Amino acid sequence: QVRLVESGGGSVQAGGSLRLSCAISGYTYRTYCLGWFRQVPGKEREGVATIDSDDHTTYSDSVKGRFTISKGGAMSTLSLQMQMNSLKPEDSAMYYCAADLYWAPGMGPCTVEAGRPNGHWGQGTQVTVSS
């Protein structure tokens, strides 16, 4: 059974940094699409960054240059991270990791615009940035 567990959220002042992690277990495929999303109450969920099994990354314009997505781990246990620097109050949100473990390059790009990743979600971790 696939399981995603986030950690690393918290409260920080503007300009500070946080590092989010997501432990992904229970998968067996060699290709996959992973990503981070965020959501503020009353607003639509926003894609923040994606990374595929070949380490191709994408970022939303709002976080480009400040956030870095990365991954690690071995077969059946993946670790997804996101280093968040120069945080702004508008970065405050619940952050979710997501995984599409049936994705392959021939199915289309691993991007938010392509509706990926989708399929498995974590429970979320709160990030609060004060001014």
Side-chain angles (χ1 to χ4, degrees):
Q1 183 177 358
V2 176
R3 190 179 181 208
L4 283 68
V5 180
E6 299 104 334
S7 61
S11 297
V12 66
Q13 288 192 326
S17 299
L18 284 173
R19 186 175 180 85
L20 303 185
S21 295
C22 177
I24 304 171
S25 59
Y27 82 101
T28 58
Y29 297 94
R30 294 188 178 187
T31 59
Y32 45 82
C33 171
L34 309 176
W36 288 98
F37 291 76
R38 65 187 181 187
Q39 189 168 24
V40 175
K43 293 189 176 181
E44 290 190 359
R45 186 175 58 202
E46 174 191 11
V48 177
T50 66
I51 185 168
D52 67 21
S53 41
D54 290 328
D55 288 327
H56 299 117
T57 59
T58 68
Y59 296 92
S60 66
D61 289 341
S62 62
V63 306
K64 200 171 294 182
R66 299 187 297 121
F67 291 10
T68 303
I69 190 171
S70 61
K71 63 175 178 61
M75 184 66 73
S76 81
T77 303
L78 272 174
S79 178
L80 177 68
Q81 292 90 35
M82 186 161 69
Q83 178 67 39
M84 305 187 296
N85 298 329
S86 302
L87 283 162
K88 304 175 181 180
E90 51 263 43
D91 294 319
S92 298
M94 185 70 80
Y95 283 72
Y96 300 89
C97 63
D100 185 341
L101 302 175
Y102 302 98
W103 175 85
M107 297 170 64
C110 173
T111 64
V112 171
E113 291 75 16
R116 298 186 179 93
N118 199 357
H120 300 281
W121 295 84
Q123 81 287 353
T125 185
Q126 179 68 40
V127 171
T128 303
V129 184
S130 58
S131 57

